[in-house]
Amino acid sequence: MNASEASKIYDHAIEVLQENDLGTYTVPTRGLYPFQWNWDSCLTALGQSHYDEARAWTEIETLFAHQWPDGMVPHIVFHVWNDGYFPGPDVWQTGRPTPTSGITQPPVAAFAVRRLFERAKDKELAVRHASALLPKIDAWHRWFYANRDPHGEGLVAILHPWESGRDNSVDWDEAFERVPTAGIDPYTRRDTQHADPAHRPTKEQYDRYLWLVQHFRALGWDNSKLHDASPFQVIDPGFNAILIRGCSDLAALAETLGEPEIAQANRARAEMGLAALEGLWSDQHGQYLCLDRTTGTLIDSASIGGILPVFGGVPKDRAHEIARGIERQAGGVRFLVPSHDPADPRFEAKRYWRGPAWLVMNYMIADGLQAIGETEVAGHIVRSSLELIAQSGFAEYYDPLTGEPCGGGRFTWTAAMVIEFLKQAER
Ligand code: GLC
């Protein structure tokens, strides 16, 4: 891509971010997702920081203003009522002053805040905002280990596929079979009115998503009860790697900001997590796998969730082997990184998280590979990402075989990641 193309794409990315910016938070895209999503916002702030640092801090602060008293940061904040999305606040019924969902999402906040802080031009502003966010993020991390690892195994479980951020991955299929569907209230989906139903989850899956929501709702969203009461408890290596990376990043930030206790607690969490993650390694697949906590068995599904641990600082030999796996996958697709192994018969190029490429994943994976010196594979991933944009615009995700844009259009976090990739290339 030449400089003038890059500059056009850069300007276009800012336009997308600004179009979806509602002042104090940014919606992932208009129509399909009309509220604030947790990890979307944290990653979006990275893009915003290149043209407006104050606005980037606000994005994350708005999210944390809706943190629950127990420390959880919800996956959606329903700031302003909008009936275009299902399930809305009337289904979740979490009883929060501003309605939120009752589950969480991958904790990328610490990573994003450290990055914003370290490259901030306005240092004074950065110290002020990072210092205020530090104890809040620490409380969220503490919440994870208390509520999602209640038996002290070192890794946290997700209790709903939506928590993973990889909503419809093959990873959940088997464990999901144990979630009943009887007794759910009648409902009308909205996602299939905005996006192609053939690319979206099936009705049966949707029924189970809702069964879990109703089950947790019946327990009053009391997080001290949900883990043990959930028929779905899965340990996602990608999710845990994000948390581990978050703990290391928060520890580093806390040291800089003179908060030794927060630093120590998060350092210990990261070390414990990294040690436990080893138990999810699969020699057969050359990557990590999910663990079904209810049965104690690894889930035989080679998804991008088991590649993402390169972002969490896993041992170098593991990361190198994962890099070789990505090179292998590159032989089967035109664009990296597919969200499911294309060699697996369950791979579907266009269906939500069962094959398509997502730029946020590419960003985190490339970051981890770069850090351990796998610059060639990292570079390949970045090139793929920019080619996708040049060919297909700022889509929610892409068919890795053809590059076809899928899901929502003019997508916020896609635009934010493009800004990051372009800025990194300048350095
Ligand atoms: C979908 C994605 C999730 C994302 C949300 C908003 O639900 O699976 O990861 O946060 O959309 O973009």
Side-chain angles (χ1 to χ4, degrees):
M1 172 177 307
N2 62 38
S4 109
E5 267 173 333
S7 129
K8 247 213 238 125
I9 288 183
Y10 185 83
D11 292 346
H12 193 175
I14 293 184
E15 204 183 288
V16 170
L17 289 187
Q18 289 180 334
E19 183 180 293
N20 293 330
D21 184 347
L22 300 191
T24 55
Y25 66 96
T26 311
V27 296
T29 185
R30 295 198 180 245
L32 187 60
Y33 301 117
F35 309 107
Q36 183 176 26
W37 262 257
N38 184 325
W39 72 325
D40 294 62
S41 265
C42 295
L43 294 168
T44 296
L46 293 172
Q48 291 171 327
S49 70
H50 293 286
Y51 60 91
D52 188 344
E53 287 184 359
R55 179 64 191 81
W57 288 112
T58 302
E59 185 75 23
I60 299 181
E61 272 165 4
T62 303
L63 176 68
F64 275 84
H66 301 277
Q67 183 169 27
W68 285 21
D70 67 1
M72 184 181 82
V73 183
H75 103 293
I76 305 175
V77 183
F78 300 105
H79 292 279
V80 179
W81 168 254
N82 182 313
D83 69 359
Y85 178 83
F86 178 86
D90 48 328
V91 177
W92 292 95
Q93 297 173 22
T94 54
R96 300 286 305 145
T98 297
T100 72
S101 73
I103 57 174
T104 193
Q105 250 190 341
V108 285
F111 159 73
V113 166
R114 181 180 182 197
R115 193 146 279 190
L116 288 186
F117 178 83
E118 287 188 344
R119 66 181 187 206
K121 295 205 175 70
D122 191 338
K123 282 290 174 209
E124 206 186 305
L125 186 81
V127 169
R128 199 154 20 93
H129 288 285
S131 303
L133 282 164
L134 198 67
K136 298 181 183 175
I137 303 177
D138 178 49
W140 189 21
H141 290 179
R142 193 177 328 115
W143 173 88
F144 268 115
Y145 291 100
N147 294 282
R148 297 312 182 75
D149 182 22
H151 311 297
E153 293 167 27
L155 296 170
V156 302
I158 54 162
L159 307 183
H160 193 298
W162 291 343
E163 293 200 302
S164 70
R166 301 184 293 112
D167 303 18
N168 192 30
S169 168
V170 173
D171 291 351
W172 327 128
D173 289 0
E174 219 178 279
F176 220 30
E177 291 289 314
R178 276 193 300 276
V179 176
T181 54
I184 50 168
D185 303 334
Y187 67 95
T188 310
R189 282 171 73 164
R190 293 303 173 106
D191 59 319
T192 41
Q193 292 166 358
H194 297 285
D196 185 341
H199 302 172
R200 300 289 305 181
T202 61
K203 169 164 184 342
E204 212 194 4
Q205 279 164 331
Y206 231 83
D207 286 353
R208 293 194 160 105
Y209 294 146
L210 290 169
W211 189 91
L212 285 172
V213 170
Q214 282 187 210
H215 183 59
F216 300 150
R217 187 178 78 195
L219 293 166
W221 296 109
D222 177 348
N223 274 305
S224 68
K225 295 189 186 139
L226 303 194
H227 179 278
D228 288 355
S230 177
F232 183 89
Q233 304 170 351
V234 176
I235 297 170
D236 170 6
F239 191 100
N240 276 276
I242 288 173
L243 179 57
I244 291 165
R245 171 70 180 263
C247 289
S248 314
D249 281 338
L250 202 69
L253 194 61
E255 262 150 33
T256 311
L257 293 170
E259 293 284 355
E261 276 172 32
I262 293 184
Q264 204 189 2
N266 282 280
R267 190 76 66 209
R269 288 170 188 146
E271 279 167 16
M272 177 182 69
L274 275 177
L277 202 60
E278 268 307 287
L280 307 190
W281 179 261
S282 159
D283 275 329
Q284 187 202 334
H285 292 289
Q287 64 163 83
Y288 295 88
L289 295 178
C290 287
L291 178 83
D292 190 334
R293 186 172 261 166
T294 342
T295 59
T297 51
L298 288 178
I299 298 170
D300 187 14
S301 166
S303 78
I304 201 166
I307 288 176
L308 193 54
V310 296
F311 180 68
V314 293
K316 283 203 171 142
D317 55 332
R318 300 297 192 216
H320 289 309
E321 196 165 339
I322 288 175
R324 302 291 78 75
I326 297 174
E327 279 171 342
R328 226 174 12 253
Q329 291 193 349
V333 295
R334 258 180 74 204
F335 300 96
L336 290 175
V337 179
S339 46
H340 198 82
D341 184 352
D344 184 329
R346 294 169 294 183
F347 168 88
E348 287 181 81
K350 288 187 185 25
R351 201 187 280 273
Y352 226 52
W353 291 108
R354 298 172 88 90
W358 296 70
L359 258 59
V360 285
M361 288 288 156
N362 285 8
Y363 177 74
M364 291 185 281
I365 292 168
D367 181 274
L369 291 174
Q370 189 73 40
I372 59 139
E374 285 282 358
T375 43
E376 226 167 88
V377 191
H380 190 161
I381 294 173
V382 174
R383 251 187 343 271
S384 253
S385 308
L386 293 175
E387 276 166 25
L388 281 171
I389 301 302
Q391 177 184 319
S392 301
F394 297 87
E396 184 176 5
Y397 57 91
Y398 305 86
D399 177 333
L401 302 176
T402 61
E404 188 187 319
C406 302
R410 302 188 73 75
F411 219 85
T412 296
W413 68 3
T414 305
M417 296 300 96
V418 169
I419 294 176
E420 282 283 295
F421 286 135
L422 291 172
K423 280 288 171 186
Q424 279 171 1
E426 273 176 21
R427 264 179 247 135

